[in-house]
């Protein structure tokens, strides 16, 4: 592994840490908000799962379709015979843009989609370094931009319908069933952590794959990820949730809609269904977007006026802006680094 690849991967690991720091709380927020489990124990469970699940699923089971999607956002033909310095400028621009925009969002308290920040930075940097024609706009349009709009609708619909269904079922059950939903939430922490981690880890795997392609000329289609790479990325995302979970649990679990036990369980099931489906079909998603939209769907089913629409509007606006703004930052950084490294 040469120095260029190592430098890019250091930045990629930092961003993976940030994804765990930012998105990790989504796995436990609703069950902590309903006091089904203490935050400390929830984060320990989620952290352990986020370490183990990607290794099992992405390495041993070879489920890496999201990583392949990230790698396909730039045409492989455009990466052939690329000067290693140009490839380095491209990938370094991607990671710097993603980190810079994420830091800005944290400083000004703007909700941020870690997925669309990364992919926006990637597309912007690719345009700056190789031109518009290098981008696979079909893949970007269908699997990234369209999903910015489609994912919230799917999640809100799933949350709404499942809430109505579970409410209907509970009418015929004893009131003591509530304690079973409380236990089920703890089980859901494991499933939620799995669905969130395998999608996020594969985004970094995709960055690594592209880095190998533009610097070493590696064939994206045939490359198989090593255990070490998957394990290192999994450690990074696990460390992120361990250090960042407490800060965001309240924001996710209560500021959009104050969930109860049944609502928490319903939002978790809706999130898991969408996130796992996307992960196994190669669609990189914003896990925060999935969780928040599911909670909103449950809130609409329960009581529309109880949803904090001011907060929801701020989140929706950030989702719409994240990809284009990150792409502009990526293009700007790409132009600068291209001047520095490519003469």
């Amino acid at each position: 592994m040469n120095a260029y690849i190592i430098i890019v991967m250091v930045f990629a690991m930092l961003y993976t840490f940030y994804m765990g720091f930012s998105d990790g709380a989504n796995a436990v927020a609703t069950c902590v908000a309903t006091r089904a489990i203490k935050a400390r124990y929830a984060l320990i469970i989620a952290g352990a799962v986020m370490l183990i699940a990607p290794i099992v699923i992405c390495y041993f089971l070879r489920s890496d379709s999201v990583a392949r999607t990230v790698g396909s956002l730039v045409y492989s033909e455009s990466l052939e015979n690329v000067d290693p310095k140009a490839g380095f400028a491209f990938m370094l621009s991607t990671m710097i843009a993603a980190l810079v925009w994420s830091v800005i969002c944290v400083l000004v308290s703007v909700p941020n989609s870690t997925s669309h920040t990364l992919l926006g930075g990637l597309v912007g940097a690719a345009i700056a370094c190789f031109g518009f024609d290098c981008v696979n706009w079909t893949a970007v349009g269908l699997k990234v931009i369209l999903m910015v709009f489609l994912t919230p609708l799917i999640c809100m619909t799933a949350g709404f319908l499942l809430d109505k269904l579970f409410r209907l079922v509970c009418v015929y059950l004893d009131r003591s069933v509530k304690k079973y939903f409380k236990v089920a939430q703890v089980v859901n922490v494991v499933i939620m952590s799995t669905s969130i981690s395998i999608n996020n880890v594969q985004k970094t795997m995709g960055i690594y794959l592209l880095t190998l392609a533009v610097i070493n000329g590696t064939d994206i289609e045939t490359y198989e990820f090593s255990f070490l790479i998957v394990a290192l990325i999994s450690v990074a995302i696990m460390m992120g949730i361990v250090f960042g979970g407490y800060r965001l649990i309240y924001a996710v679990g209560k500021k959009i809609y104050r969930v109860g036990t049944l609502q928490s369980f319903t939002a978790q099931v809706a999130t898991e269904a969408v996130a796992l489906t996307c992960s196994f079909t190669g669609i990189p998603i914003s896990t925060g977007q999935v969780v928040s939209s599911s909670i909103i769907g449950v809130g609409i089913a329960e009581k529309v006026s109880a949803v904090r629409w001011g907060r929801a509007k701020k989140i929706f606006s950030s989702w719409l802006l994240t990809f284009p703004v990150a792409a502009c930052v990526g293009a700007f950084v790409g132009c600068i680094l291209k001047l520095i490294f490519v003469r």
Side-chain angles (χ1 to χ4, degrees):
M1 188 180 292
N2 67 34
Y4 288 157
I5 297 175
I6 292 172
I7 292 171
V8 172
M9 286 311 296
V10 167
F11 280 88
M13 291 299 178
L14 287 173
Y15 195 75
T16 306
F17 176 89
Y18 171 73
M19 286 195 288
F21 184 92
S22 178
D23 289 351
N26 294 318
V28 302
T30 55
C31 71
V32 172
T34 59
R35 299 181 181 179
I37 185 173
K38 291 184 178 180
R40 179 189 306 172
Y41 300 124
L43 290 174
I44 291 173
I45 294 171
V49 173
M50 288 188 175
L51 172 63
I52 297 169
I55 295 174
V56 173
I57 294 174
C58 301
Y59 176 72
F60 287 108
L61 299 182
R62 296 296 179 186
S63 178
D64 54 13
S65 56
V66 172
R68 305 289 173 182
T69 294
V70 173
S72 71
L73 296 183
V74 179
Y75 284 117
S76 56
E77 296 83 1
S78 303
L79 306 180
E80 294 178 357
N81 302 316
V82 170
D83 183 274
K85 290 184 178 180
F88 175 63
F90 162 46
M91 296 311 303
L92 186 60
S93 299
T94 297
M95 297 318 306
I96 290 177
L99 286 167
V100 166
W101 180 242
S102 297
V103 169
I104 291 173
C105 288
V106 170
L107 292 177
V108 299
S109 300
V110 173
N112 182 37
S113 164
T114 57
S115 174
H116 299 128
T117 296
L118 178 62
L119 300 180
L122 173 66
V123 170
I127 292 171
C129 293
F130 306 124
F132 280 91
D133 293 339
C134 78
V135 177
N136 184 349
W137 290 108
T138 301
V140 171
L142 293 178
K143 294 187 176 183
V144 181
I145 297 176
L146 177 62
M147 296 309 294
V148 173
F149 302 93
L150 196 57
T151 299
L153 293 177
I154 293 173
C155 292
M156 284 190 288
T157 302
F160 179 90
L161 294 177
L162 285 172
D163 186 82
K164 293 295 185 183
L165 174 63
F166 289 138
R167 280 287 178 189
L168 183 62
V169 171
C170 287
V171 170
Y172 301 98
L173 299 176
D174 187 85
R175 286 191 175 185
S176 62
V177 74
K178 183 177 179 180
K179 66 181 180 182
Y180 296 107
F181 279 112
K182 202 169 186 177
V183 173
Q185 287 183 75
V186 180
V187 176
N188 274 344
V189 169
V190 175
I191 304 174
M192 285 271 286
S193 300
T194 298
S195 62
I196 288 173
S197 63
I198 61 175
N199 201 281
N200 282 346
V201 163
Q202 287 189 68
K203 292 164 195 167
T204 305
M205 289 167 61
I207 292 297
Y208 177 70
L209 185 58
L210 270 175
T211 304
L212 291 180
V214 297
I215 294 176
N216 279 354
T218 301
D219 186 350
I220 290 178
E221 299 295 330
T222 60
Y223 179 78
E224 292 188 359
F225 293 95
S226 68
F227 174 83
L228 179 61
I229 289 298
V230 178
L232 286 175
I233 298 171
S234 300
V235 168
I237 200 166
M238 179 270 290
M239 294 298 290
I241 187 175
V242 169
F243 285 97
Y246 292 99
R247 188 179 67 87
L248 295 171
I249 285 174
Y250 176 75
V252 177
K254 294 184 178 181
K255 283 192 175 181
I256 298 174
Y257 175 77
R258 188 174 291 274
V259 294
T261 300
L262 179 59
Q263 295 80 39
S264 172
F265 175 79
T266 304
Q268 288 174 333
V269 173
T271 297
E272 292 158 4
V274 175
L276 287 173
T277 299
C278 290
S279 293
F280 288 112
T281 55
I283 300 175
I285 55 169
S286 167
T287 52
Q289 187 182 57
V290 173
V291 175
S292 299
S293 299
S294 297
I295 293 174
I296 291 172
V298 170
I300 293 173
E302 292 287 329
K303 188 177 181 181
V304 176
S305 60
V307 177
R308 292 171 173 82
W309 290 107
R311 174 74 179 178
K313 183 179 178 181
K314 185 177 181 180
I315 293 173
F316 276 113
S317 299
S318 72
W319 292 341
L320 295 176
L321 291 173
T322 296
F323 184 85
V325 172
C328 290
V329 176
F332 176 75
V333 177
C335 289
I336 294 174
L337 293 188
K338 187 177 180 181
L339 290 173
I340 295 173
F341 290 103
V342 183
R343 298 182 182 279

